Structure formats: C-alpha cells, structure tokens
Amino acid sequence: MSAPAGSAPLPHRSVANIRSPSGAGHHQSGPSTPLRAIPSNFGSPSSLRADEEIIIIEFGTRKLQVGFSGDPAPRGCIWFGPDQQRRVGDFREWQTDYRYDWRRAAAGGLWGKDHELWQYDVRGADLGLVGDRIERALREAFTKYMLIDSRPRRMVWILPSSLPIPLLSAALDSIFSRFQPPTVSLLSSSLALTVGAGVRSALVVDLGWSETVVTSVYEYREVGSSRSIRGGRMLVEQTHKLLARHLPEARGGQDNSQEYVLSFEECNDITTRMVWCNARQRSRPYQPSSDALATVQEQDETKLEGLSPGRMHGPVVIPLKSWLSPTSLELPFDALAEPCENTFFDSQYSHTSFDDHELPLHLLVYRSLLQLPVDVRALCMSRIIFTGGCSNVLGLRKRVFDEVSAIVRERGWDPVQGKGVQQFRTNPNLNLKRRVARQAGEGPTGVALQSGDGEEQDGVWHDAANTVPEPDPFEEQLKRGTDKRPRVQGEMRAIESLGAWSGASLITHLKASALATVDREAWLQHGAAGASKPSDVDHKAQRQSLGAGGLMRGSAAGSAWTLGIWGAT
Amino acid sequence: MSRRPPRGEYIETDTGNKVARKATLVGTQNIMLGGKTVIQPEVMIRGDLIRTIQASSQSASGAPPNNTAVSIGRYCFLSRGCCLRPPGRLYKGTFTYMPLRMGDHVFVGPGSVIQAASVGSHVHIGTNVVVGEFAIIKDYVRILDGTVVPPNMVIPSLSIVAGQPARLIGEVPEGGHEAFELRDLYKTVGNNPQPAPS
Amino acid sequence: MAALTPYTYIQCPCSDSSTLGRSSGPNSPTGSEGDEDDRTFDPRAPRSNYSLYPLEYLLYCEDCHQIRCPRCVSEEIVTYYCPNCLFEVPSSTIKSEGNRCTRSCFQCPICIGPLAVTSVETKPDPGLLAATDNTAAPHSGPYALTCSYCNWSSTEVGIKFDKPNSIHAQLAKLRNGGTTRLTAKERKERRKDPSYRSQAAATTGSEGGAGPGKEEKLDLETQFANLKSFYQRQLADPNSADTGLASLSDLGFSSPTSLSRIMSIYTGGSLQDKKAKSRVGAMREALESDEGLQIADLDESAAIDKLQTDGHDGTASTAQLLDQIPNLGEAHLHGRSRFLSELRPIPYLLRAKRSKRCPVCRHIISKPEAKIQTTRFRIRLVAGSYIPSLAIRPLSLSSASSTSSSGASVPGALLEPLKPTHFLLTFRNPIFDTIKVTLGAPAKTPGRFPSKVTVLCPEFEIDANTDVWDEALKDSGERERERERERRARRGGFEESTTTSSSNNHNNNNNNNAQNQLEVGKIWERGRNWVSIVVEVVPPSLKLGDSTGDGGGVLREDEDVLEIPMFVRVEWESEGGGDEVAVAARDTSGGSKEAREKRELAYWCVLGLGRIRRS
Amino acid sequence: MSSKRHSILPPVSQSGPKPPVHFSSSITIADSALLIGTNLIVIHSESVIHPRAKLDSLAGRITVGRRCIVHERATLGAVGTSGKITEAAVTLGDYVTVEVGASIEAGETVIGEGTVVGVGARVGAGAVVGKHCTLTPHTEIAAGEVVPDFTVVYSNGMRRTDKRGVAELKNKGQARQIDVLRRMIPSNPAKFA
C-alpha cells in the first residue's frame, strides 16, 4: 500500500468529514486529503491485479459501451435514463401504477436531458453527479454483462476528441477512486474508427447525439475537425414537432403552457423506429430558392431516385401513449422524412445563411474536405466513414454522400468567386477555400488567414492548419512509394468501420499505445492539474496535431504526462 | 370440523394451521399443510386438480396418499383472495395436472394466482401477482406487486423480479434475508391475534 | 401512490471520501456545488441518490468497525451459473462465450419471457408444453424457440433447428431468414473455391446487396478477424516484434517525431517487393475484404420500402433493441436492426455468486456457499447486526396531550401542512454493549419546501442486546414475551417500572410514567435493547405559485415527501474501554480517532416520514 | 383434517333470482358455480364451468360456446360501466378459455373462437375480441374495443399477431383438458336447472 494511505486515518473514522460532506468539500484542493486513503487502500497489491484483462469503455452522451479488449464487440451497453438515477432499492418504476411523470421533468427543463450523461457546456454542471452516473453505469456493466470481480484492471477509454476537460477529469476522478484501474489510456473515437476500418486516413462523419462532428484523420492523426449542432437531439425535437403538429387541435387548453406534448421517451422511440431520410432529388437544383418550403418537397418525393416507383403514400399508424389521452396517429409515410430533412439539410435555405455551428451536413462535410490540403483531401474523400446513432436513419448516409458528391461535381474544389472584403468576412467558404488553395500551393502561409474563423473549434483546428506543411514533403515520397501499390484516392467513396469500440479493441489487442495514458497514483495526487499541457511538454507538440507528446510522455507514467488532445485546450 | 359451532373466523388445527372459515378449499384430502400456515378468508386452493398421468383409472374419490395436488410447508401465509392451483399441461399427448409444491415461509399476497410447479422457501409474492404454469421459484425470491411470471419461467434464488412478463430487476441483498421470516406475521392473525412487533 | 410507509436510508460514509476523492483542479470549479452552501446533508440533492442505501444493503467490517456499502466493497466471484437452467458454468468458458448460457436458454426478443423449444411439425401449445420434455416427446424436428407469454416463435424470423438440444450452437450458424452463416474458419476454406463466391453473393444480396465487384460482404465477426490478422501481418517483423508494434503506435499516435519516422518508413516502403510488406516500412492500409476493408453499401431504399410496408408494427421498440446483443453474424445493419425480422433470441446472461471483502483490511465480510442450489452463507456480516435499526411510526397522542393528535395516526396517511405531527423513532440495539446514540437533525430540512424538525430527545443510551440465545436461535416464545412487554409499555408505560436503565437485565423499563406527554430531552419509552423517542415535524405547505427558481412552478417527483436528514452517531466501548464518552461526545472534530477502546460510528441517514397533502 | 368432507366450501351467497338456463347434456358445471340474473344462460356441449365461476345474466343473455372452459372466479356478464340491458350480454365462441379471476363485462361483448382470456384480465362492455386471440394475464380491453383475430395482447397493452398457426392444436389440447376436468369436477347441472 502506498505511504500516504498508511499514514492517513481511515475516512470512516473521521467524524467531522462525515458530518459535513460539503464542508469537507473545501479541502478538495489539497492534493493529499486523508480521505484519499480509501482509494489507494483498495487492492493496490499487484498480486490482486487481474491477469491482463483490459477493459475498453466507449463514452457516449447517452450510453456507455463496455467490453474486453480483443473482442469484436462490446459485452454491454448501458443507456442513461431517469430510472438509473434512483436510490438503491427503489423499485417504483416496476410498480404497476407508477408512470414516470415526464411532464414534471420537462417542466424542470429536462426533456430528454435526464437521458444524457453530460452536456458539453459544463457551466453549472454538477461534475460529481457525472462521476456518480458513470460509476453506477459501469458497475452495472461489470456485474451484469462482464461478470468480473473488482480487481483493478487497466482501462482504455474511447472519447470524443471534443470532450471538455472538466468532464474528463470528473470521469477519471470517479473511476480512479472507485475502480482503481492502474492506468487509464485515452483514445479518440475518430482514430479508433479509422483503425476499425483498416485505413490510415479517413473522413469520419460522426452523426452523434448532441452534435455532428466531421473529423479528418490523416495517417492516424486528426488533422481537422468541424462540427454542427445538427444531431440526434435536434432530430428527436423535430420529430416531436412533427407529431405535435399532426395531433388533433383538441389538445386541451391546460396543456398550452407545456412546451412538450409528448414524452421524450416516446418521441425518441418513434424516431429510432420510423424516421427515415429522403434520397437526393435529381430534379431539384442544388440551391433552391429560399422561399421553398419543406412541404413543397413532399409532393415530388415519388420521383426520388433509389425509391421503388411502385411506392404509394400509404399512411402509417403510430400509437401515442404519452399524450393527454392515449391515441394513435395517422401520418403519411413521407411526413416521417421531414424531421430528418429539417434537421440535417434545411435545404429550403441558401447555404450561405447558416452560421458555422449549424451547417447542414452536406455543407459541413464538403467544407471540412475543402479545408484539407489537396493530398489529404484526396485520401479522405475516398475513405468516408459514417458513424454515430443517426447513421441508423435509413437513407441518411446515402443522402449526405450524394449531396456532397453533387457539390463536388458542381464546384469541384475551387474557391467560390469571392468579391469584396465584407463578403470575404461573411462568407466563410470563401476564405476557407482560398486558404486551402494557397496551402495547396505554398503551404504555411495559410495559417494567418485560418486564425480568423478558428473560434468554434478548439485547438485541433489550428493544428489542422499547422500540420499542413508537414505532410507535403513526404507525400511525394509516398506517391513514389506507392505507385506499385495503388491507393484509392481522389474519388468519393464511403467505407465501413467496425466502430470505435471494436477499433479500440483492435488497437489495444495489438498493444499499440494510446494518445495518453494516465497513471492512477499520479492522477490521485495531482488530478488534471498535474497533467502537463502538451505545449509545456515541448513546443513542437503544439504544432503537432492531437496534442502530441501525449503518447511518449504518457507512457512514461508518473513523470510528465498529458491528457493528449484533451489537454490541448 | 367446520360442523362445529363457529368460534371465530379461523379454524386452528392442532398442527397450528389457521384456516379461515371463509376460505375455499376444494379437495382438501389432496392438500397438505406443513403446519403453522395461515389461510385467510376467500383464499382458494384447488386440491381437486390431481395428476392423472400415472393412473388415469383412479378418480378423485379413492385418493391414495401420493395424490397430493397442493403441498404447503410451514409458516406460509396465504393472504385474502389469493388462489393456488396445480399447473396442468399436455404430457405425451394427454393432459394432466402436476402437483404444486410450496416450501416454508412463503407469503402469497392478496389476489395473487399461483400455478407454479414449485415455490421454494422464504419467498415473498406480492399483491395481484400471477405465477404462470410450471414456473419454478427458488428460495429467497421477492416478486413485486402486479408481476406476471410467465409459464415455465425459472427464478433463481435471491432474485427480485417484477414486470409483465417478469424479469430480474435486482438481487436480494445480504441483509435482506431476515425480512422473509414469517413467524411474527403468523402470530398476528387467528382467533386471538397479537399485534405485530414495532 | 398517496400512501407511503415510512422508510430509512443510510448514507455510507464512504461516499464522502468519494466527494473528496475528486481532486478539484482548476478545471472543476463547480464540483458538487449542490451542497456547497448548507452544511447539512441534502437528501434531495441529485447526488445523494447514489450514496443512500436501505439498511439491508449495507455490510459491516468487524475489523475496521465500519459500514461497507456496495460501492466500497471489493467483490470476488464464487460461482457462475445460468439463471434459467441453473447449471454452474466453469470460469474457463465464461469469457469466450460472452457471459451467456451456451445450452438452450434463451429469452424472447419481443417480451423477454423465457423461450421453450417446441417441435414445429406437430406444434403443441407451448403454453402447455414445458421445454424439458421435448426430448421425451415422440415427435421429432424441426424445432423452434417459442415464447409461452407473447406467443413469439423463432419461425417468425425464419429460424428453425434440427435438434432440440444445444440450440446455442445451432443458432450461431443461422442467420435470420434461415440462411446458414460460415464461421471465420469455414470462410477461409470456402474462399478457395470460386463456386462459393457466387453463393456468398446470393446470400448476402438479400441483406441489402453485396459490395461492388468482387467485394465480399463480411459479417462483423469476420471483418474483425480479417482486420486483426491483417494488422498482425503488417506488424509482424521477422527481426524484432517490438519494432513492429512500435510502428503502429508511433505512426498511429503521433509521437512528436513521427514525421521523420513516417518519412523513413515510406522511403523504406518504396522498395516494393512482397517481403517489404512484412517490414516495418510496409505498414499499409487494408485493401480488400480479406484484409477487413469494407466498402459501405449506402443504398437503403430496400429497407425504406420495408419500413413503409411493415409500418410501425414491423419495427422493434428501443427497449427491445436494448436487450439484443450485437449480431456478429451479420454485416453492419445500419438502419436495419430496427425491424422485428432482425431480432434474435437472447441467450440468458449468466449470473454470479459473489463474496465481498473489506477494501481496507481485506477481510471477507460476505461469502456465499459455492453450490448454486444452496442459499447459505459462510460469512455474512450485515450492518443490521451491528448498527441500531430504526423503525418509524406515526404517533397519535392519546387523550393526555391533545395539541396535535390524529394527523398521521394512520400509517401512510397524508401529512397536514403546517400542522405539527409526531413520529415515534424506535432504535434497536443489535450489539452486546450498551450504546450511546446522538442524533443531529437540521431545524429546517433543506430543499424548496423546508419543514421544521425537532428531535425531542437527541441523546440517549440503549442497553445492550443481552440475550444472545434469544437472537441466535430465534426462540419465538422469548421474543413473544418481549414484544408483549413493549406493547403494553406502548399503551402507556405502566407496569414494571424500576430503576433507570443501567446494566442489562430483562425487565427494566425506564419509567417514563403514565400518560407520557412530550417532554423535551425525555425518552418516550425504553425496552430491553430498544429506545423510542419522539420527533416533531411541521410539514410545509406545498404552495408553488411564484416559481422558486429552478424546476419552475411544478412540483418535482417526490418533492411532496417529507424527508428529514439525520446525523446519527453511535458510541460504545468494546470491553475494557475507558470512559471518555462525555469527552468525545461534544467534540466531533475527530478526537475520536485517538480513543482506542472507544468505538464510534457516525453516518447520515434519511427518514422518509410520509407525503404532505398538496395545498 | 377429517376426511369426511372433501372440501371446505362456505355457502355461496345465492343472491338474486335463479336465472333460466339452457344446458347441453354434455357440460360439466361445478355445483359451487354461481349463476344469477334474470335472462337466459346458454351453455353449449362439453363446456366446463369451474367452481366459483360466476355467470351473471342480469344485463342480458349469457352464451357459452362449445368446449369452453370458464375457470374459478371468472365472471361472465359483470355489469360494468354501461349498466344498460342488452339482448346478448356476453357471448363466448367455441373453445374459449376464461382464466382464473378474469371478468367479461356485459353488453354485447363477444369473445371469438379459441381465444384465451388470461388470469385477471378484464374485457370491457361491448368489446369484440376476435378468434384465437391471447389476452395475457391482467390485460385490460377497453369497452367497445375491437381486437382482430390472432392478436396477442401482452405487457400492458402491447399488441402483436400470433403467427404460429397452432389454432387447431390448441383446440385439440383444450378437448383433452376437458376430458380430464370432467373426471375431476363433480358436475351438478341439476342444481341450476
């Protein structure tokens, strides 16, 4: 057992702390609060360590996927929901008369929020609570699906590369103190996906819950990433709107106060079951007049490509239980494509009218490709990986793919004709493309321009720009090297990945090291504060993508370790 | 014995069983009570549904001892309005009932219908529970109110089940075993009941 | 849900350490802000739901003299078994089989009821036919899994079996729709002969079209296997394995110097002979399906049509999808996993018997017998036999003191707002030493609707639980007599009033004489090893109106339940203990640490008294 | 217990008038079954009425088809929400099983052939349940609701279609069960005639 553990009194004994948990809270800053004793007292003796059985955990906003390294798929998947937040031994959810009062929850401002582990906006978030949730979910996974004892095991975490540090450290805190993994290695989901697809470069389109993130990976390194708030949550909200619109107007005045007329659970269910996505319409010009309405598109959906001609607009009956009075709703099948249309494409608006954070998917993909240097783009565009919950929306992947290829056909990769300075400012495409154009030419000079609109993206973005000069020189080498071994590039192509979890399982199984490896003792002593920022490690690192140095230092546990890309901010 | 002038709502047998006069016991000769068992009013036990597979010749009248249809252990508590009946099924082409066996310290909540093949000891069955035919319930099992245990389901020891159909929702914690003890409850009913301990 | 029987939750002290365990770097400014302000424990803070336990969930370490909760014990597996067939499963096979029963135990994908094997030909009613005697039954194959609750049958997804036993093995080889699937091994062999290709294309075509050209559609398991072997081939290095590994890691995960490395590698790779592939330099991408590369098939129009034709009823609910295990026998079912036709029987998850250790001293505090059929425990140190149990009863004051009777005299009745109500808390001492109990409760409960709380007697002693045999071999007669005493005592505490509580002999009840009216600092009544005191609460009125900040104008779930946090400190002396109770009683600032002979246990608990009537 | 009497059967409260009945000769009806009401009660051949089953024709005629089994405490013709008198209160098709404690409210309520009404299930007045349906225990069918053939109602109101196609086998099974029951349940139609 570690020295501090031995010397420190047992937490249980010290009454003062128990009496006022909050009061104790003040001690938090102190790196060696006696109460740390407990964690380090757990089975530190290495004899108690499980024979290398590495546990892989993929963190999502709504679910946790857990399994053993080397397995093709996770053992268990825990979704977060209000029922998990009850006290132990509270079985009310099983009482026949009990119904979760979602209206109250909705009134409390959480319509669906209680189905999320965390929100990326950590302002005012109770991080301790996040830790508790993770712990409980993990415990359930361990006992129910993995059937493992509580000997300390090494862990590999798969995280979205945009995860805010407070959340990450909250997670690390609770896991380190409750499960005592000797080390936790961090992997970014896009990398895991790339490996899971068998490629070295890819454009990962993660149609996630809280947002859609397009990450370009080049030679196993994230060289660029852009995101849009158009994600699963928005889709469910849209579905709710759709259903609400079709509900009979006899809604009952008492409910007008309510923003939501249906429960999140139900809308979510209907979304996953019934919502689909229109194929791209050949007939439609790429930029419709901004006054065209979503409803307009409905009519000509029969002549959509990829749909069998014989399709009639048969109505679909959807039972609704959570409405004031349980009923069943008749919808034209095509109406069920609206939510997807509005969420991900909004094609009735001209593409210039969107802010950076709310770009429609096809523009998002196109632009993130555009931002890439030519050679990188060539590789990425033929290695597009769709992932995330919304990739299950039937037809969505194809739609995005087609839209993007259409834009490419129309404009190629040339910068749009920009005129005037203010337009230069307002139209993001403009400077982006110009930058790319330049970079393709002479490289680094692009940085100056780039910094203009980097605000949305955290560190990674800048790296993206900065990495540009590096690939170029050896890309010629590459070309020379591979002419005998042709690499598919330059053409739009989507490939299938096993998924982030399985990718990570592969990586771990092959004993490749992670972006960052956090040592338990080190963490418990210093916490996130102890993590040396990649920049501090060496200045090259900053210029490297992925907050490099994470790997090298991290593996040398103890000394100077980083949080990899997550430490980059 | 029910001929005797009613002296209270319960018949108390010499083995300590307390059987409400308002209980409906059909085919009592096929019902075995282990003793100290409480049968509240409006309970129904179908002792007449005996297994016929081995010798279909014998009718319910000439009852050999092996003819037990329902056997109940000690300190069981059958609440008002519950119903115990042997499960029946097609076996090799012919239909037969099979005996329903119940261990000790089994609490059956009001309005529940039990058609299990066997119920272990220290089992708590809540209110309005339906236990399907040939279900097997092991020891120290808690079945929450309104649960529907589907036919043929096996519920392992120390489980907490609920739902329609029943599913495992938890395990009985180490400290929870004593709660299944029914001796105290036994005393609280009868012709001269004593109040429950605080 | 109006009625609510009073309950007690205990907060395991370990959860505080977890609060503190969170090193709050500069990064987590808002850590546990929930109860930063008030010093009392708030049962309604969202976090407390994670640290509160009913007494029976708690264990106790005799060596550390501490409560241990499920969060702070370390577990060890004693036995694995299938909850359906109740067979023990050797730990060796556990991992390979995904922790699921490999016999014929399955759950219904529709309703998750148990599935039974029934013959398809002469279909008997599965409701009446138990799984077990199919073997005995005359009729023979094909067989199907059927649910006797919702009448689902595996034939609905086109799955039938030749043998009634070892269904798990048979199912592994069957796709939905009945087409057989090859294990990775077979696949390799089959890949040799060309005739297979066409057939493969045919089978896979049904699932949404095979990849372009000679692209072969791999199921997840195979793709994973192919990828794995591909990477291993790439990493394998005749000279030294570690360089091989290094190549992936460094390339992969961007060490600062990776650039130069990549350069060298690619130059190295540029001499292209077959052997070069196996060199460090040749770490390349997978190029074909044999290497695990899969071209995505984006055309889902077929599925969309199916969605329209099948409609809502043809799709699986999220709950049903949740219970499914990842179907490794299929390629990516991106949207298609939603259809009922894609559901598969769910092999039962195994369960495990676990023994539990104290994390600190590593002593075993709970150990069940290994045999599955038995429910005995070798060791079972439950908190209930070490810390005082607490029973709550609404108290309706008899004639004597009128002030606030009725109210909640009936258990479960709603509490009247703004009306003083009394509850009787009965503490029962399970241990064989006299214990001293000190209670602390906030005058006002935290939360939006604070209720006033007064513990009339916050400090008292409980006599030892003397009669070992009594508890040990539950001689009902004895307990009977005891209870009898209590009962009469409760009815006004006449009888056998003797000297004040001191040592332990049976019949001494502290004489709180006659019609016990509420006296502050006075015990309500006392028994052999129990004491009951009175708590007076004044429930708030649940007036919402001006929305009090968060949560708006709506009453949150359980906000109408009157819960009072109470800090319980129990002190006792294990034999030979010096008497410094009085000393350590006041100062809680950990003077207790030093005291050796003196034991002390302190924890928060939450008393749920009842629901308050809405106003 | 003294083996003289084979049952403890507290007297049934024979409240109300004794209804006119029309029994097939081949039926089995326990003498502790409870038949009340004013309208005709028709029971077709080979059906079995368990002890303590209650047939109430107060709100109209009760018809039980061939080879039906009405288990103990089941109620046919419970005067439910609509207290109105109808021509046919409850009509059971052939091979219908009404499980323990199930109740079928009066008012043109129809249960189709081969349907099983599960333990404690409730069928509202005027509901029409199709053929070979399965109402799992505690199912509630609202008044006036129509349930198509081969529907399975499970888990509080979820519905699906029974695709096993075992209808005739179930009927065979029912026949066998009846063979056994009529040997066990002492029938006493005379009492009600």
Side-chain angles (χ1 to χ4, degrees), chain C residues 315-490:
Chain C
T315 57
S317 72
T318 39
Q320 288 166 336
L321 292 178
L322 220 64
D323 295 320
Q324 287 285 305
I325 55 177
N327 183 353
L328 298 173
E330 296 285 357
H332 265 288
L333 294 165
H334 275 288
R336 273 162 291 130
S337 56
R338 79 182 66 195
F339 294 111
L340 288 180
S341 55
E342 297 290 352
L343 296 180
R344 287 170 73 83
I346 307 158
Y348 265 89
L349 271 166
L350 299 177
R351 263 174 80 178
K353 283 188 163 193
R354 298 159 177 272
S355 67
K356 299 178 179 161
R357 286 183 183 277
C358 169
V360 179
C361 66
R362 310 296 312 170
H363 282 87
I364 295 184
I365 50 182
S366 161
K367 187 176 180 58
E369 296 249 354
K371 275 180 67 262
I372 292 148
Q373 298 297 343
T374 159
T375 53
R376 284 194 301 276
F377 277 69
R378 288 217 171 77
I379 305 171
R380 195 166 62 93
L381 309 179
V382 300
S385 42
Y386 295 89
I387 69 176
S389 66
L390 173 47
I392 307 169
R393 274 191 313 113
L395 173 66
S396 63
L397 297 175
S398 52
S399 59
S401 54
S402 59
T403 56
S404 68
S405 61
S406 66
S409 56
V410 197
L414 291 176
L415 306 176
E416 291 301 329
L418 305 175
K419 182 173 178 200
T421 319
H422 297 86
F423 286 88
L424 205 56
L425 309 187
T426 307
F427 292 80
R428 188 172 296 274
N429 174 11
I431 65 173
F432 305 127
D433 305 307
T434 306
I435 60 172
K436 178 170 181 303
V437 179
T438 318
L439 304 177
K444 275 181 171 300
T445 60
R448 287 199 299 171
F449 303 100
S451 37
K452 294 198 198 61
V453 182
T454 9
V455 181
L456 290 190
C457 178
E459 203 165 327
F460 51 88
E461 288 203 345
I462 312 180
D463 296 342
N465 174 17
T466 48
D467 194 344
V468 186
W469 314 123
D470 174 9
E471 289 305 314
L473 36 96
K474 303 187 180 304
D475 166 37
S476 51
E478 162 49 36
R479 303 166 84 217
E480 173 42 36
R481 246 174 284 124
E482 170 204 336
R483 202 177 34 256
E484 189 61 19
R485 262 203 316 284
E486 297 169 17
R487 199 177 83 261
R488 264 179 275 123
R490 200 174 300 120

Side-chain angles (χ1 to χ4, degrees), chain B residues 1-3 19 21-29 33 42-44 46 48-50 52 56 81-83 85 90 93-95 97 113 115 128 130 146 148 164-165, chain D residues 1-3 5-10 32 50-52 71-73 99-101 119-120 136-139 154-156 169 172-173 176-178 180-181 183-186:
Chain B
M1 51 196 224
S2 61
R3 293 260 185 278
V19 183
R21 298 184 188 279
K22 284 224 166 58
T24 310
L25 276 59
V26 189
T28 48
Q29 76 281 14
L33 299 180
E42 289 152 45
V43 171
M44 188 161 192
R46 295 298 302 273
D48 56 337
L49 307 179
I50 53 172
T52 50
S56 50
C82 71
C83 173
R85 66 198 313 254
L90 283 172
T94 51
F95 184 89
Y97 284 99
V113 178
Q115 291 182 272
N128 289 326
V130 176
V148 174
Q164 300 189 11
Chain D
M1 296 186 166
S2 63
S3 60
R5 292 177 78 256
H6 287 155
S7 299
I8 304 176
L9 288 171
S32 64
H50 276 259
R52 297 299 169 121
H71 287 270
E72 59 262 40
R73 291 181 175 171
E99 271 290 353
V100 182
V119 175
T136 59
H138 289 328
T139 298
Y154 66 103
S155 305
N156 323 317
L169 281 149
K172 282 207 195 71
R176 298 215 187 84
Q177 183 176 1
I178 288 172
V180 174
L181 283 174
R183 261 185 277 129
M184 291 180 174
I185 300 175

Side-chain angles (χ1 to χ4, degrees), chain A residues 421-469:
Chain A
V421 183
Q422 63 278 52
Q423 190 172 354
F424 179 87
R425 287 264 167 271
T426 52
N427 176 351
N429 289 338
L430 189 47
N431 53 44
L432 288 180
K433 293 201 210 64
R434 177 164 303 166
R435 185 184 83 250
V436 172
R438 278 212 213 149
Q439 290 165 352
E442 65 271 19
T445 42
V447 185
L449 287 173
Q450 140 63 25
S451 53
D453 57 358
E455 75 280 81
E456 290 294 333
Q457 294 75 359
D458 49 14
V460 189
W461 175 281
H462 296 274
D463 302 340
N466 296 334
T467 44
V468 168

Side-chain angles (χ1 to χ4, degrees), chain A residues 74-365:
Chain A
R75 286 284 165 93
C77 171
I78 309 285
W79 289 78
F80 296 98
D83 295 331
Q84 264 166 328
Q85 298 158 24
R86 302 197 187 289
R87 292 173 186 167
V88 172
D90 179 349
F91 294 122
R92 79 179 63 190
E93 68 185 283
W94 295 103
Q95 287 170 354
T96 41
D97 58 346
Y98 175 77
R99 275 179 61 255
Y100 172 63
D101 188 348
W102 62 271
R103 286 171 201 279
R104 282 190 192 174
L110 23 89
W111 187 79
K113 284 283 188 294
D114 46 9
H115 287 261
E116 298 175 0
L117 167 59
W118 51 36
Q119 284 83 40
Y120 282 0
D121 174 6
V122 293
R123 279 168 298 178
D126 183 347
L127 295 172
L129 183 58
V130 171
D132 286 342
R133 283 192 185 162
I134 294 176
E135 182 202 347
R136 181 170 282 187
L138 216 48
R139 224 172 262 286
E140 184 187 346
F142 284 178
T143 49
K144 192 173 164 199
Y145 296 107
M146 316 254 298
L147 286 178
I148 52 176
D149 54 27
S150 43
R151 281 175 302 175
R153 290 172 171 76
R154 278 167 55 205
M155 287 184 184
V156 174
W157 290 8
I158 308 154
L159 304 160
S161 41
S162 56
L163 187 67
I165 280 204
L167 295 177
L168 174 57
S169 66
L172 284 169
D173 282 333
S174 95
I175 298 306
F176 271 134
S177 57
R178 286 303 188 176
F179 296 95
Q180 301 81 44
T183 65
V184 169
S185 309
L186 308 179
L187 279 174
S188 89
S189 47
S190 49
L191 275 176
L193 276 156
T194 315
V195 173
V199 292
R200 302 164 57 84
S201 314
L203 187 79
V204 177
V205 182
D206 179 357
L207 305 158
W209 172 249
S210 44
E211 62 184 7
T212 293
V213 186
V214 178
T215 314
S216 26
V217 177
Y218 180 72
E219 293 301 322
Y220 294 128
R221 284 181 296 163
E222 292 186 359
V223 294
S225 138
S226 45
R227 51 181 48 86
S228 155
I229 56 162
R230 298 166 182 275
R233 187 193 289 122
M234 201 175 181
L235 183 61
V236 175
E237 301 259 358
Q238 288 289 345
T239 313
H240 175 268
K241 275 211 192 71
L242 172 79
L243 297 170
R245 220 180 321 126
H246 285 73
L247 279 171
E249 266 332 296
R251 178 173 301 167
Q254 76 278 30
D255 208 45
N256 293 343
S257 60
Q258 279 284 353
E259 178 184 1
Y260 294 100
V261 297
L262 294 168
S263 74
F264 170 83
E265 290 74 11
E266 185 146 44
C267 293
N268 183 50
D269 185 52
I270 292 171
T271 312
T272 42
R273 293 172 83 148
M274 295 308 293
V275 166
W276 59 286
C277 177
N278 283 324
R280 177 162 183 279
Q281 300 170 19
R282 280 206 212 77
S283 54
R284 205 167 79 238
Y286 169 67
Q287 279 161 270
S289 56
S290 53
D291 59 348
L293 300 170
T295 50
V296 176
Q297 298 156 14
E298 286 175 38
Q299 287 108 34
D300 49 13
E301 263 156 10
T302 34
K303 55 179 187 291
L304 299 180
E305 67 185 29
L307 300 183
S308 63
R311 278 185 44 182
M312 75 304 294
H313 297 253
V316 182
V317 180
I318 296 176
L320 297 178
K321 289 197 172 60
S322 69
W323 198 45
L324 297 174
S325 62
T327 171
S328 67
L329 197 58
E330 276 213 355
L331 283 176
F333 182 67
D334 293 325
L336 287 164
E338 289 172 28
C340 186
E341 199 69 28
N342 304 338
T343 306
F344 295 116
F345 300 104
D346 262 348
S347 20
Q348 67 268 33
Y349 304 114
S350 93
H351 68 283
T352 50
S353 62
F354 299 105
D355 290 348
D356 276 351
H357 69 285
E358 55 164 31
L359 278 177
L361 290 197
H362 50 291
L363 289 182
L364 188 69
V365 175

